[in-house]
Structures are given as structure tokens and as C-alpha cells.
Amino acid sequence: MGLLARYMSGLCVAVLGLCASGWLVLAPVAFGYRSSAPHGAALADRVTGGGLVVVSLLTLIGWAIAWRRKLRADGVLLPGTSRRQARREARDLRRRAAASDHEGASGTPDPAQVLSELRALLFPLLAEPPPAPQEPPVPAAAPEPAAAEPAAVPEVHHQRGGVPEPRSELAPFRPPDGAAPGPGQPEGYQAAGPGPYDFTPALVLVPAVPVDQLTPAEPPRPSGIAAIESMLAGAELSMAGCGEEETW
Amino acid sequence: MNRLAMAGLAVIFAIGGWLIAAPFVLRFQLRGAPWTGAARIDVVTGAVLVLAGFSGFFTALAGRVRELYAEAERGTGIGSVPAAE
């Protein structure tokens, strides 16, 4: 009540001043003392009424602005929200709705609908059982027998067209069978970890193969499911590049 | 902006005072003579403006003081001193 009384009293007094100024300007005409009153009573009333109009208007605007600022500071009014801005946003919204209706009526296919139909068509292919895992390419033989053991490591990465199987937890590291690590470093391996036997999951082991025996491995060709998935991913990427807001 | 609005109320109060005194200052209401219509209108209008300006000014001032007290209790005022713990 205190906040409301403060601003309302200021506004009411300003409005009353406006009414009084109008009364002062019109009174000489209404009561007929425009020319008969001595010493310029009519002139004094008009000048006073004119000044009172200006003061009352400034007071009214000042109290209105002060109240508006207070309401914004208290969070009642959203900052930056004006009637003109609201009209502009409503006009933009109507324009977008009209444009979308026009595009729908012109027969342009909806990319989302096209992708849905494509998924429905490719669903039987996705439901097929995955093909048998291909035999991994056997790496070149290492000169030392201890270095030939880690050849089974890339086997997992080619079962689904190069996409590894999802893992929910980190598998514990176990040194390969037959590996006989030396006192400072495992034989046939180059450990990137801090210690000689730091078998943490972050440890990176690289088989020590001589450079002259390295052959470029043939990249695995994606199988049927992976090819379909890559096609769908490409279509989604093209949709995202076209500015589509809908994501799949 | 608050100061401008408060000053407006004070000016309205002053204009009311001027309207009460104008018939006697400008001498279109002679002392002891019967009151003319112009003098009566000016005095009545001036009295209304004086009352309105006075009450409005002090109501707004009281509201401002109440706001300052509330800000000082919350500790968010500009000149407020945080309470010692």
C-alpha cells in the first residue's frame, strides 16, 4: 500500500493540476470577466493556467517513468518489453506463419517427412542380422616372437564397419600371454605410462614392429548396416546445413 | 526522475499559493471591498492546488523514506551499512 500510495498520489496531484489549469484558462471566458476585471485578472489566470499545464505534464511524466522503473526493478515488468516491440514481434510471427502456410501449399516436400519415409523403407534392411565378422588383416610378422602376440588387438574395431562395440565400463588390463616383461619395460612393447608396470586403462601400448616391415593396412569397408547408417547420417547433416531446426 | 517528480509537486503547491495571493498582489481585489468573481475563483483554485500539492508531496516523501528503511533492512541500499555480526 505504501508503494502504491506514493506513486498514485503523485499521479493524482499531477492530474488535478492539469484539470485546475484548464479551469483557470477557461474561467475568464466562462464567467465573463475577460475584459471587465481590473488589473488583468484574466491575463493572470491564463498565464498561471499555462504554466500549470506545463508543470503538471512534467510531473505526470516523471511519476509515470519513476513507477515504471520501480516495477521493472521489482521484476513485475519485464525489461525491454514495450508495446511497440510486442507489436513488432506479433507482426513477425504472423509473417512467418503466413510464409510457412504458403510453402506448405506450394507442394514443397518436407525434409523431415522425406527422412521418415526413407527410414521406413530402410527398416527391413536394418532388421537383417549383421554379417559375420571379417577376419582382421594379419599384421606383418615381427622379428622377435614376443612382438607377434598383440596382433589380436585391432580385431574388435572391424566387426561393424570400423565402429567399435559400445563399452559400459573400462576393461581391466591384462598383459598378453607369453609376454615376459623385462625389469624396466615390457619386452616388445613401448609403454607410454609413467611407470614400468603401470597397467592403468589409460596406458597406451604400441607393438614394436620394425619400420621396414610395416604395410599400409587396407581400410575396412563398411558393411550393409553401417552403410545405411552413414547414409542417414549424411542426410541429417545436410538437413542441419540447410538450417532445419528439427533434429533427429 | 524521482527528484523531478517531487519538484513538480512542490511547484504545484507553489502555484496554488500564488493563486491565493494573486488577487491581492495584483490588486484586482481591494481590501474591504466585496469579493469579485475572479478573486473568488483564484482563491478557491489556489486552495485546492495547495492542499493537493502539500498532501501529494508529503505522501511521496513518506513513501520514499519507507523505501529507504526497507532497503536498509535488506542491506541493499546505496548508503546502507551492513549490520555487525
Side-chain angles (χ1 to χ4, degrees):
Chain A
M1 182 59 192
L3 182 67
L4 188 67
R6 179 188 177 202
Y7 294 100
M8 282 300 291
S9 65
L11 289 174
C12 288
V13 172
V15 171
L16 185 65
L18 274 177
C19 295
S21 64
W23 166 252
L24 282 175
V25 171
L26 291 178
V29 182
F31 287 89
Y33 61 87
R34 182 171 42 187
S35 58
S36 60
H39 303 293
L43 180 63
D45 283 356
R46 285 176 180 167
V47 171
T48 306
L52 190 58
V53 166
V54 176
V55 172
S56 299
L57 278 178
L58 287 178
T59 306
L60 189 67
I61 293 171
W63 279 111
I65 292 175
W67 199 358
R68 194 176 175 85
R69 283 183 182 175
K70 180 67 177 173
L71 289 176
R72 281 182 180 172
D74 290 342
V76 179
L77 281 180
L78 294 178
T81 304
S82 64
R83 194 174 297 175
R84 182 180 301 174
Q85 187 176 357
R87 276 201 301 265
R88 191 181 306 139
E89 289 178 356
R91 190 168 54 240
D92 291 343
L93 194 62
R94 283 196 302 269
R95 194 172 300 166
R96 286 181 196 164
S100 64
D101 290 343
H102 180 69
E103 288 179 357
S106 63
T108 305
D110 187 13
Q113 188 178 359
V114 169
L115 272 180
S116 298
E117 294 174 356
L118 186 59
R119 281 182 186 274
L121 287 175
L122 295 177
F123 182 74
L125 297 176
L126 288 173
E128 288 182 353
Q134 299 176 356
E135 286 297 326
V138 179
E144 299 176 1
E149 287 296 328
V153 173
E155 182 180 356
V156 180
H157 300 285
H158 301 296
Q159 287 182 357
R160 289 175 59 89
V163 180
E165 290 288 340
R167 289 187 299 180
S168 59
E169 60 181 4
L170 294 173
F173 181 82
R174 180 177 58 83
D177 298 334
Q185 191 174 10
E187 186 179 356
Y189 289 87
Q190 295 174 359
Y197 291 102
D198 189 11
F199 294 140
T200 57
L203 190 66
V204 178
L205 298 177
V206 180
V209 179
V211 178
D212 52 352
Q213 294 183 8
L214 284 177
T215 56
E218 185 180 356
R221 307 187 70 172
S223 60
I225 297 177
I228 294 169
E229 287 290 339
S230 64
M231 286 170 56
L232 288 176
E236 290 165 2
L237 280 177
S238 64
M239 282 185 61
C242 291
E244 282 289 326
E245 296 178 356
E246 185 178 7
T247 59
W248 288 62
Chain B
M1 195 53 69
N2 274 325
R3 289 183 181 178
L4 176 66
M6 295 284 285
L9 293 180
V11 171
I12 288 175
F13 173 80
I15 288 176
W18 158 250
L19 280 176
I20 291 175
F24 306 100
V25 172
L26 296 179
R27 296 183 183 279
F28 58 84
Q29 175 59 48
L30 298 177
R31 186 173 295 178
W35 280 52
T36 63
R40 197 173 293 130
I41 289 171
D42 282 358
V43 169
V44 170
T45 307
V48 170
L49 286 178
V50 163
L51 285 176
F54 184 86
S55 60
F57 181 83
F58 281 100
T59 303
L61 188 63
R64 179 60 185 157
V65 171
R66 184 180 297 179
E67 278 185 5
L68 289 177
Y69 270 107
E71 289 174 0
E73 286 181 358
R74 287 196 304 265
T76 57
I78 296 174
S80 63
V81 179
E85 296 180 355

